[in-house]
Amino acid sequence: MLRRTTTVPDIDSPATLAELLDHHDYLADEGLATAAYLAVRMGRPLFLEGEAGVGKTELAKTLAAILGAPLIRLQCYEGLDAAQALYDWDFARQLLHLKAAEAAGAADAGALEGEIYDRRFLIARPLLRALETQPSVLLVDEVDRADDEFEAFLLEVLSDFTITIPELGTISAVTPPVVVVTSNRTREVHDALKRRCLYHWLEHPGFDLEVAILLRRLPGCTERLASDVARAAGRLRAADLVKPPGIAETLDWAEALLTLGAAELNPDLAAVTLGAVLKYREDQETVRARRLLAAPAAPVRDSSDGTRGRG
């Protein structure tokens, strides 16, 4: 019987990890399970690339659940710098400490300076928290949104899982965190960072896998409704939209239909629930103008080479 949590040494094969992921409702194929297994056992970051909504972030969450470890998330954005990702000093508390010391008659300036740069005044940001927390899963989410300079800084931290704080010294992870780095490929990430990681590309799920995910994640969903939604999602992804729906949007769509009491997807229901699956006006207009959901779509079978997976 599978336990709720496990340790890294207990994950002795990709098949074991796939079983554990399945136990937590994340369906991973052999390619993804193998990449995640190697990352966990080799202590290497796993770089997941693919369009939004295909299950990259969800994999990190599921690994944290399997290991019984906190998920520490660093959300990347333009302008993110080391202080926001690594650590910062709590200047307000330092100032209060100085005032309290002065009120108490402290006169040794050197001693006071040493006190205000004590660990208790340090605010640990995600990267430092991940190094100090054992075990932990560090999610560096959407690294492609950060600047090139931050990529270089991140590479240095992930190389040896060590951070040097001038006032305190070097802090190293006793047990390195499991690291998942994601990218939606809005821009190319530098080769230097990718070389430090194991790499896996996540595709949109094929028909059979998507049906299985819908049935697993939405207990009230019938196979008929799951099949209808998966077929329609496959047709939308083939339509060259601004933002093709990922599995996250497909789940939202199926849940919206269930909330309306639908047992199947028909053109009228598809038209009034498009906002659950397509989040751009241009895409909705394209679908309506081309009548993409006006008739049942042929099943979109999974023609991948076995490298798909999500949950």
Side-chain angles (χ1 to χ4, degrees), residues 30-284:
E30 185 179 6
L32 179 58
T34 300
Y37 166 77
L38 292 174
V40 169
R41 292 306 301 261
M42 294 170 62
R44 297 278 297 278
L46 176 60
F47 191 100
L48 294 177
E49 203 164 39
E51 294 192 38
V54 295
K56 303 184 297 294
T57 298
E58 194 65 25
L59 177 65
K61 293 179 180 178
T62 307
L63 288 174
I66 289 171
L67 296 171
L71 177 71
I72 300 174
R73 181 172 184 167
L74 174 61
Q75 181 63 52
C76 297
Y77 54 88
E78 186 177 355
L80 178 66
D81 61 25
Q84 295 160 318
L86 190 54
Y87 70 89
D88 206 352
W89 290 103
D90 190 337
F91 297 115
R93 289 191 62 202
Q94 288 174 318
L95 183 58
L96 287 173
H97 179 75
L98 285 175
K99 290 183 177 180
E102 290 173 358
D108 189 339
L112 276 178
E113 183 178 354
E115 288 178 7
I116 64 171
Y117 287 108
D118 185 79
R119 180 63 181 82
R120 58 186 163 147
F121 297 119
L122 191 70
I123 302 173
R125 304 299 186 191
L127 293 180
L128 180 56
R129 288 208 315 273
L131 297 191
E132 292 185 319
T133 305
Q134 285 86 36
S136 67
V137 174
L138 172 63
L139 170 62
V140 182
D141 212 9
E142 299 183 327
V143 71
D144 52 318
R145 296 184 180 276
D147 301 323
D148 292 351
E149 293 79 6
F150 180 77
E151 268 189 53
F153 162 75
L154 182 64
L155 177 64
E156 182 180 353
V157 173
L158 296 183
S159 293
D160 53 13
F161 296 103
T162 297
I163 292 171
T164 299
I165 301 174
E167 298 85 355
L168 296 179
T170 299
I171 297 177
S172 299
V174 176
T175 302
V178 173
V179 181
V180 176
V181 183
T182 75
S183 167
N184 295 336
R185 209 171 189 180
T186 58
R187 68 169 177 85
E188 285 295 332
V189 175
H190 287 185
D191 289 342
L193 180 58
K194 285 187 175 182
R195 283 198 301 270
R196 179 64 186 85
C197 306
L198 299 176
Y199 178 87
H200 189 81
W201 173 269
L202 274 176
E203 296 277 2
H204 289 294
F207 176 78
D208 293 331
L209 179 57
E210 190 148 28
V211 169
I213 292 170
L214 291 169
L215 293 175
R216 176 68 66 88
R217 289 300 187 93
L218 300 172
C221 187
T222 64
E223 188 164 353
R224 172 61 184 274
L225 181 60
S227 297
D228 286 351
V229 170
R231 289 186 186 111
R235 175 170 281 191
L236 293 175
R237 290 175 190 134
D240 193 26
L241 302 177
V242 174
K243 172 60 176 70
I247 185 60
E249 287 77 25
T250 308
L251 284 165
D252 285 345
W253 199 14
E255 186 176 2
L257 292 165
L258 284 172
T259 301
L260 293 173
E264 61 182 14
L265 179 63
N266 58 52
D268 291 337
L269 275 174
V272 297
T273 56
L274 270 183
V277 67
L278 298 179
K279 309 302 174 65
Y280 284 82
R281 185 188 67 180
E282 296 89 342
D283 287 343
Q284 294 188 14

Side-chain angles (χ1 to χ4, degrees), residues 22-39:
D22 181 272
H23 183 65
H24 287 80
D25 294 330
Y26 189 101
L27 304 182
D29 61 31
E30 185 179 6
L32 179 58
T34 300
Y37 166 77
L38 292 174

